[in-house]
Amino acid sequence: MASPYIELEVGERTVKVTNPGKIYFPEIGATKRELVDYYVSVGEGALRALKDRPTNLKRHPDGVQSEAIYQKRMPAKRPDWLETVTVTFPSGRTADSLRVTEIAAIAYCANLGTIDFHPWQVRASDVEHPDELRVDLDPQPGVGFDAVRRAAFLTRDVLGELGLTGFVKTSGNRGVHIAVRIEPRWDFVQVRHAGIALARAVQARDPGLVTTAWWKEERGDRVFIDFNQNTRDRTVVSAYSVRARPHAPVSTPLTWEELEDADPGDFDIRTVPARFAELGDVHAAIDDHAYSIETLLDWYDQDERGDMPYPPNYPKMPGEPKRVQPSKARD
């Protein structure tokens, strides 16, 4: 028996939504149809965050209670209007990744069970030179959102002293992400070095609050700045992406004024559309200016501490310290 379906007009496309009544978020009873409708309702903002970026998909075809499918390659069988871009992984292997060019592409992927969208920090026109510097503020277990908020404002202070503008959003979980639009003149290694320099500068402002320690055993009850989110094939969830959790939280763009008293629990699949209808995309200006990271690279070059460990899926990188946690290195 054929699955029930509806058809939605999204821009110039007709997007088929199968099993629209399937419950995707059991805690609030939200359905697959609501997920697709959500992405269409915030489409302008979601498209701005994903436009022309290689994008990984985190799919839950049977809802968030089902096992996730992490998809980095688009299948050969797809609509002819759905575009792809070839990316290269740290291993040297390549893949044809989703390239989002229109809101219908987001809706189409939502019908496939995509809840989280994870864009690369590059554009399809130049996949070797990032145009975004990312700051991922990750609170360690037991650390509350107030600490993350303070770390975010410290980051804003450092960026401001550099003449850089950061755009802040909730992560959709416990953290905060800050994006800085940069000129696509530097490769992944250099942008990662800039991220390390920025993270160290923020940590220096309050080392009791912020840490850059890669090894969890050294982080303590602090907010970790994950500098490795600037490496090739490492992604953070996009602005306006829903997160695969039972209550359907959303990674929501904020103004810095809003962050002062924001509660991440206020932003979900049912509250964000009304917010978007009232305020529009509060990150609409993110592409207005791209910045240089030369000062950050100078800071990195002047720092005798040098490089930090790469993620475990990476080959050993030039200048990288030993990739072994300190407690085992001492044994």
Side-chain angles (χ1 to χ4, degrees), residues 62-207:
D62 291 315
V64 298
Q65 65 272 30
S66 64
E67 188 172 348
I69 300 170
Y70 294 89
Q71 185 168 327
K72 296 184 177 183
R73 294 172 170 82
M74 290 304 290
K77 186 179 180 181
R78 59 179 183 266
D80 57 9
W81 53 265
L82 199 69
E83 298 190 35
T84 62
V85 56
T86 302
V87 293
T88 302
F89 301 124
S91 64
R93 298 175 64 188
T94 61
D96 290 333
S97 178
L98 172 68
R99 173 186 180 182
V100 177
T101 58
E102 56 186 297
I103 297 170
I106 304 172
Y108 174 85
C109 291
N111 176 61
L112 298 179
T114 302
I115 295 177
D116 303 49
F117 289 82
H118 289 258
W120 284 46
Q121 59 274 58
V122 297
R123 307 272 188 174
S125 59
D126 185 352
V127 295
E128 295 300 320
H129 297 89
D131 75 335
E132 188 166 273
L133 177 66
R134 294 173 172 175
V135 182
D136 180 6
L137 299 174
D138 180 15
Q140 298 307 286
V143 176
F145 191 74
D146 281 343
V148 182
R149 191 191 332 266
R150 286 159 49 210
F153 280 108
L154 280 180
T155 305
R156 185 188 67 165
D157 291 345
V158 175
L159 289 172
E161 291 167 14
L162 290 164
L164 309 180
T165 298
F167 290 79
V168 66
K169 67 182 181 71
T170 65
S171 70
N173 194 356
R174 300 174 55 241
V176 157
H177 300 152
I178 302 169
V180 180
R181 189 66 74 245
I182 63 174
E183 299 167 358
R185 296 198 283 127
W186 298 274
D187 62 23
F188 283 98
V189 172
Q190 292 170 304
V191 173
R192 177 179 173 274
H193 286 171
I196 290 173
L198 175 60
R200 285 171 170 166
V202 176
Q203 180 183 9
R205 299 291 175 100
D206 191 342

Side-chain angles (χ1 to χ4, degrees), residues 44-53 120-123 130-134 165-167 179-184 239-240 281-291:
E44 178 188 349
L47 181 61
R48 180 174 288 108
L50 295 168
K51 179 78 171 182
D52 286 328
R53 298 191 183 280
W120 284 46
Q121 59 274 58
V122 297
R123 307 272 188 174
D131 75 335
E132 188 166 273
L133 177 66
R134 294 173 172 175
T165 298
F167 290 79
V180 180
R181 189 66 74 245
I182 63 174
E183 299 167 358
Y240 298 103
D281 182 11
V282 298
H283 284 188
I286 192 170
D287 292 317
D288 287 356
H289 186 81
Y291 296 93

